[in-house]
Amino acid sequence: MTERTFTAPDISCGHCTRTIERELGELEGVRHVQADVDSKAVTVQWVAPADWPTIAALLEEIGYPPAR
Ligand SMILES: [Cu+2]
């Protein structure tokens, strides 16, 4: 299991965090997603076949690119 916590600066409300949790949660291999409005932090836990490039690409696609 891999875990990564990052910031998604475009998070602005609870809808954003729910969208992120739902969309990432639908990726095969993603086991846990938690997004926080106040800190704009997102923690994701995954196993194969999920990987960071796939997760980052999906975040870009739904409008919440991870901070670099
Ligand atoms: Cu929002």
Side-chain angles (χ1 to χ4, degrees):
M1 178 102 73
T2 304
E3 177 175 311
R4 184 156 171 163
T5 298
F6 54 91
T7 302
D10 294 326
I11 290 175
S12 61
C13 72
H15 288 113
C16 302
T17 58
R18 280 196 292 279
T19 298
I20 289 168
E21 289 171 353
R22 184 185 66 241
E23 295 283 336
L24 286 185
E26 286 174 359
L27 270 185
E28 192 181 351
V30 170
R31 293 291 171 79
H32 182 76
V33 185
Q34 185 166 17
D36 182 71
V37 176
D38 294 328
S39 65
K40 303 182 191 293
V42 183
T43 299
V44 186
Q45 293 174 346
W46 71 87
V47 296
D51 59 12
W52 175 247
T54 305
I55 290 166
L58 179 60
L59 285 161
E60 297 250 4
E61 190 183 312
I62 66 174
Y64 302 101
R68 313 224 177 252

